[in-house]
């Protein structure tokens, strides 16, 4: 029999078009991953299956044929991420027994860990030792799992491995996957599967009316793949930089069209100059097709870049990597006056976080989490507006609550309130991290609809709320200034050092009870409203405005919004 041993590389996101140093393409094995692992996945996004270690497992699984052992040390993300459900299904089909020794060490999921201290390789992602055994003539698959302590230092993990050294010396736990190909079910609640899904891939594909879901369609947020160019707090700076970027791109299009070497490869042909242009995969494809771009000032739109952080965005099909469905969600600035989207992380999130927007949200709205999925109230086709909550859902709610007066807008607001309900978020935290939300039919529907409407008003219109009365302390030893460079909190979090001249005092503790993921709303403001200079392009993004008091007033207003949010959520207990 065949034995394949290895430690394949793992890096799903290595695709830097500007360095021309992206992961290689493997036509045959990429095709095998698509027709097996990806095809059988229920996940909204399967981009993580592009990871080289996944391709190595697929290659090895095919290579051993009728009998053999695949022994690989890999990233451990395939164990529980929803993106790998199809892969887990095929591992069960392809092998007679599976042994996984989980060495943990995922610093990205647990910020309390240190890569150099807790990870066996000193890296940021978790690691596992995997033995996939295939026996000729066997039926079914036995799956065995063991893991070391989450907080173990790497020396303790080395010692553990030195003492075990053999399969029979490991205390294995046999696991039985559920119907969704979930291997690690601890902390998950089975009744979550009985709740109403916010949306599904299947419903999106249905032509016409969809049933069994609340929203017919949903979309990832806009992905620019050149944020330093396509986003800027200052509209004039954005316009200037995008004109430069587009001119540089069009020059490359003309040179490509007129090239003498018709066999030239795009990657080797294009000009790499970070001060003039930032490349991405789709932009190179547009270049290859000979598609020119044209700067249009009306393409500058408002966008929700991060929670409570609006910015100017150059919204364009060529100069953005992916606009997804947002041309049919916020097709015009006027649509922002009536439409809104509930934003949730994609499946496989590290945190439970939800927000609402009436402007185009960014793909990485919840930075550090998975991509943002947006569920709109309206969609637009050829100027015609359609409510996105299904008629099936409306009827379901009206019958369940025996209330024919319930509207789709009521349902939208009730959903937003339920997503904030503390018991729901805590009890189903692991379910919510694994997949898109499902909604229980809670009592007191009217109460939730009213609370959701209040929350939506607070979070959509935060710039118009009353400012909280902070104490402003001036430092007379330095010149007067209202400009922000980089704010910071005092150790006790009761003060914000606004700049050398100003300190804001009297921040109430309850402000920090309103969290969006691992950060409070105030933390998001402090993190985002600072002067940034992109290292590659040299582009500066300065949040300061001619109205010097904007950031100061924004802080006061977000404190008010946070306190009122906490009060509303407390009322939902």
């Amino acid at each position: 029999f065949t034995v394949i041993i290895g430690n394949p590389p793992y890096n799903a996101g290595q695709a830097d078009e500007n360095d021309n140093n992206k992961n290689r393409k493997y036509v045959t094995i990429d095709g095998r991953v698509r027709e097996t692992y990806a095809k059988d996945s229920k996940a909204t996004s399967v981009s993580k299956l592009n990871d080289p270690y996944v391709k190595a497992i697929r290659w090895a699984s095919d290579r051993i044929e009728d009998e053999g052992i695949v022994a690989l040390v890999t990233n451990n993300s395939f164990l529980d991420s929803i993106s790998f459900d199809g892969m887990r299904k095929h591992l069960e089909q392809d092998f007679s027994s599976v042994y996984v020794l989980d060495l943990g060490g995922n610093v990205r999921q647990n910020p309390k860990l240190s890569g150099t201290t807790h990870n066996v390789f000193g890296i940021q992602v978790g690691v596992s030792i995997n033995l996939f055994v295939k026996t000729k003539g066997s039926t079914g698959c036995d799956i065995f799992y063991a893991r070391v302590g989450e907080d173990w230092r790497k020396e303790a993990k080395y010692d553990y491995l030195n003492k075990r050294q053999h399969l029979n010396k490991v205390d294995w736990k046999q696991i039985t996957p559920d119907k969704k190909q979930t291997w690690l079910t601890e902390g998950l609640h089975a009744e979550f599967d009985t709740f109403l899904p916010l949306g599904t891939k299947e419903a999106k594909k249905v032509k016409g009316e969809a049933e069994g879901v609340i929203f017919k369609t949903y979309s990832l947020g806009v992905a620019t793949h050149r944020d330093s160019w396509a986003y800027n707090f200052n509209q004039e700076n954005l316009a200037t930089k995008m004109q430069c970027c587009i001119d540089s791109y069009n020059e490359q299009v003309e040179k490509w069209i007129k090239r003498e070497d018709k066999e030239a490869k795009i990657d080797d042909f294009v000009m790499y100059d970070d001060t003039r242009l930032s490349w991405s995969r789709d932009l190179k494809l547009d270049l290859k097709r000979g598609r020119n771009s044209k700067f249009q000032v009306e393409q500058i739109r408002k966008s929700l870049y991060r929670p409570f952080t609006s910015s100017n965005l150059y919204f364009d099909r060529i100069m953005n990597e992916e606009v997804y469905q947002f041309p049919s969600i916020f097709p015009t600035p006027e649509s922002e006056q009536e439409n809104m989207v509930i934003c949730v992380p994609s499946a496989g999130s590290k945190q439970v976080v939800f927000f609402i927007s009436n402007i185009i949200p960014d793909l990485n709205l919840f930075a550090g989490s998975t991509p943002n999925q947006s569920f709109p109230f309206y969609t637009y086709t050829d100027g015609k507006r359609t409510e996105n909550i299904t008629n099936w859902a409306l009827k379901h709610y009206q019958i369940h609550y025996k209330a024919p007066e319930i509207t789709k807008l009521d349902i939208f607001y009730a959903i937003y309130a339920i997503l904030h309900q503390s018991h729901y978020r805590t009890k189903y935290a692991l379910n919510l991290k694994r997949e898109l939300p499902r909604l229980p039919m809670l009592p007191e529907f009217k109460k939730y609809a009213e609370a959701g409407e209040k929350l939506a008003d607070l979070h959509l219109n935060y710039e118009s709320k009353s400012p909280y009365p902070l104490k402003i302390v001036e430092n007379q030893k330095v010149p007067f200034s209202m400009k922000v460079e980089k704010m910071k909190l005092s150790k006790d979090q009761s003060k914000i050092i606004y700049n050398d001249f100003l300190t804001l005092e009297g921040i109430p503790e309850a402000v920090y009870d309103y969290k969006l993921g691992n950060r409070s709303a105030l933390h998001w403001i402090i993190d985002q409203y600072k002067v940034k200079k992109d290292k590659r392009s040299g582009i500066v993004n300065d949040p300061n405005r001619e109205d010097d008091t904007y950031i100061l007033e924004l802080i006061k207003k977000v404190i008010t919004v946070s306190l009122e949010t906490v009060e509303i959520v407390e009322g939902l207990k």
Side-chain angles (χ1 to χ4, degrees):
F1 58 88
T2 302
V3 179
I4 298 175
I5 302 174
N7 172 218
Y10 16 110
N11 188 347
Q14 186 183 358
D16 197 329
E17 298 289 349
N18 299 296
D19 289 336
N20 196 14
N21 184 33
K22 53 185 178 292
N23 286 337
R24 284 180 58 188
K25 300 292 185 183
Y26 297 90
V27 177
T28 303
I29 203 64
D30 287 352
R32 286 287 292 143
V33 170
R34 280 194 305 272
E35 67 193 24
T36 56
Y37 299 165
K39 182 180 179 181
D40 285 337
S41 175
K42 300 295 184 182
T44 305
S45 172
V46 291
S47 60
K48 292 180 180 179
L49 295 176
N50 292 322
D51 202 308
Y53 92 86
V54 175
K55 300 177 185 182
I57 292 175
R58 180 68 270 174
W59 177 89
S61 301
D62 293 339
R63 183 84 172 183
I64 62 172
E65 297 181 343
D66 294 333
E67 194 165 48
I69 300 172
V70 176
L72 300 179
V73 182
T74 71
N75 185 326
N76 66 1
S77 58
F78 76 94
L79 281 169
D80 59 357
S81 174
I82 190 73
S83 300
F84 296 89
D85 57 346
M87 178 178 173
R88 290 190 292 270
K89 177 180 178 179
H90 278 271
L91 288 174
E92 285 185 67
Q93 294 175 354
D94 295 343
F95 296 95
S96 311
S97 54
V98 169
Y99 297 85
V100 179
L101 177 54
D102 188 353
L103 298 175
N106 192 327
V107 180
R108 294 172 181 170
Q109 285 191 349
N110 186 350
K112 294 181 180 180
L113 302 181
S114 162
T116 54
T117 303
H118 297 91
N119 190 289
V120 290
F121 291 141
I123 58 178
Q124 300 291 301
V125 298
V127 177
S128 63
I129 298 173
N130 316 298
L131 299 172
F132 306 130
V133 183
K134 189 173 186 179
T135 306
K136 189 181 295 184
S138 65
T139 58
C141 179
D142 295 320
I143 303 172
F144 300 94
Y145 174 77
R147 67 165 299 158
V148 300
E150 174 70 8
D151 59 349
W152 282 19
R153 299 171 71 91
K154 61 182 179 183
E155 292 82 9
K157 297 175 183 178
Y158 297 156
D159 185 57
Y160 174 88
L161 294 173
N162 283 328
K163 289 178 178 177
R164 297 304 188 271
Q165 296 214 11
H166 193 281
L167 208 67
N168 292 340
K169 292 184 179 181
V170 175
D171 185 16
W172 298 105
K173 176 184 177 182
Q174 187 166 357
I175 58 178
T176 303
D178 65 15
K179 294 179 180 179
K180 293 184 176 181
Q181 304 303 323
T182 307
W183 285 6
L184 307 181
T185 57
E186 185 177 356
L188 298 176
H189 294 272
E191 73 270 18
F192 190 81
D193 293 343
T194 67
F195 299 162
L196 292 183
L198 217 56
T200 64
K201 286 201 301 184
E202 292 76 16
K204 290 174 74 174
K205 296 174 183 177
V206 173
K207 293 183 178 180
E209 289 287 329
E211 297 185 354
V213 295
I214 300 174
F215 290 92
K216 171 70 170 68
T217 192
Y218 54 97
S219 174
L220 288 166
V222 170
T224 73
H225 282 207
R226 54 187 60 80
D227 283 7
S228 60
W229 293 91
Y231 277 108
N232 206 285
F233 283 112
N234 186 292
Q235 187 169 322
E236 291 182 6
N237 289 348
L238 174 62
T240 300
K241 293 299 179 182
M242 282 308 305
Q243 284 175 317
C244 169
C245 184
I246 290 171
D247 288 344
S248 298
Y249 166 73
N250 287 338
E251 287 176 13
Q252 294 293 293
V253 173
E254 293 305 310
K255 289 181 180 179
W256 175 257
I257 293 173
K258 296 176 181 178
R259 73 191 185 284
E260 294 182 1
D261 181 7
K262 299 301 181 183
E263 302 300 319
K265 295 181 179 180
I266 285 286
D267 287 342
D268 300 327
F269 178 86
V270 300
M271 169 267 298
Y272 294 100
D273 183 347
D274 292 324
T275 64
R276 295 183 62 195
L277 176 62
S278 178
W279 288 106
S280 60
R281 180 202 63 188
D282 283 5
L283 192 61
K284 285 183 178 179
L285 290 175
D286 285 327
L287 168 63
K288 196 172 183 179
R289 299 180 187 112
R291 296 183 63 190
N292 281 101
S293 182
K294 179 182 179 182
F295 176 80
Q296 300 177 80
V297 69
E298 58 267 26
Q299 298 294 83
I300 296 179
R301 299 281 300 277
K302 280 292 181 184
S303 172
L304 190 70
Y305 187 64
R306 299 290 183 265
F308 297 104
T309 306
S310 65
S311 182
N312 297 296
L313 163 70
Y314 191 75
F315 183 53
D316 181 77
R317 287 189 181 275
I318 293 181
M319 302 315 294
N320 298 153
E321 186 75 350
E322 297 286 356
V323 295
Y324 295 109
Q325 297 184 49
F326 274 90
S328 63
I329 296 174
F330 289 119
T332 64
E334 290 71 28
S335 62
E336 298 166 6
Q337 304 302 313
E338 60 184 11
N339 203 10
M340 49 190 167
V341 294
I342 293 176
C343 302
V344 310
S346 296
S349 173
K350 303 178 185 69
Q351 52 191 339
V352 178
V353 54
F354 309 109
F355 203 55
I356 194 169
S357 179
N358 56 5
I359 52 180
I360 301 165
D362 184 70
L363 178 74
N364 297 308
L365 175 63
F366 308 118
S369 186
T370 51
N372 150 51
Q373 295 280 4
S374 299
F375 291 80
F377 186 70
Y378 292 121
T379 58
Y380 300 80
T381 305
D382 298 327
K384 182 182 178 182
R385 188 183 74 182
T386 304
E387 291 177 332
N388 187 41
I389 288 179
T390 63
N391 291 330
W392 178 91
L394 176 63
K395 186 176 180 180
H396 182 83
Y397 274 88
Q398 290 175 340
I399 292 174
H400 179 86
Y401 291 106
K402 300 178 181 178
E405 69 275 11
I406 288 177
T407 67
K408 291 183 179 181
L409 189 58
D410 294 331
I411 296 171
F412 187 89
Y413 287 137
I415 289 168
Y416 196 56
I418 293 170
L419 293 175
H420 281 79
Q421 209 258 12
S422 55
H423 181 71
Y424 170 78
R425 292 167 68 123
T426 302
K427 180 175 182 179
Y428 299 108
L430 291 181
N431 296 85
L432 290 166
K433 290 177 182 180
R434 278 193 53 78
E435 59 183 291
L436 293 175
R438 288 172 170 267
L439 279 296
M441 303 297 287
L442 297 178
E444 299 184 273
F445 175 85
K446 184 178 180 182
K447 176 182 177 180
Y448 278 88
E450 291 174 349
E453 185 174 6
K454 292 176 182 176
L455 288 170
D457 175 62
L458 282 172
H459 301 161
L460 291 172
N461 304 308
Y462 62 91
E463 291 179 306
S464 65
K465 299 307 173 186
S466 300
Y468 184 82
L470 291 175
K471 182 180 179 181
I472 311 297
V473 179
E474 300 178 357
N475 182 0
Q476 300 298 332
K477 296 180 181 179
V478 299
F480 173 87
S481 174
M482 297 296 291
K483 301 288 186 183
V484 162
E485 286 290 331
K486 184 178 181 180
M487 296 180 283
K488 61 181 180 180
L489 279 166
S490 62
K491 286 186 178 180
D492 65 359
Q493 299 194 105
S494 66
K495 304 175 186 177
I496 295 177
I497 293 83
Y498 188 82
N499 58 22
D500 291 342
F501 176 71
L502 279 183
T503 298
L504 313 179
E505 297 185 351
I507 300 171
E509 288 185 22
V511 161
Y512 302 107
D513 291 337
Y514 172 43
K515 290 188 179 295
L516 295 104
N518 298 323
R519 299 176 182 172
S520 69
L522 195 56
H523 279 109
W524 280 106
I525 295 295
I526 292 170
D527 178 72
Q528 291 299 311
Y529 281 85
K530 60 187 176 185
V531 179
K532 303 175 189 175
K533 183 175 181 179
D534 182 62
K535 292 180 180 179
R536 299 187 73 121
S537 65
I539 295 173
V540 174
N541 194 6
D542 187 343
N544 294 289
R545 305 185 181 189
E546 291 183 9
D547 174 12
D548 285 348
T549 63
Y550 174 79
I551 299 175
L552 174 60
E553 293 303 306
L554 177 64
I555 290 170
K556 296 177 182 178
K557 292 170 182 177
V558 168
I559 290 175
T560 296
V561 168
S562 298
L563 294 174
E564 292 188 15
T565 296
V566 170
E567 184 179 349
I568 293 170
V569 172
E570 285 286 325
L572 295 174
K573 284 188 175 180

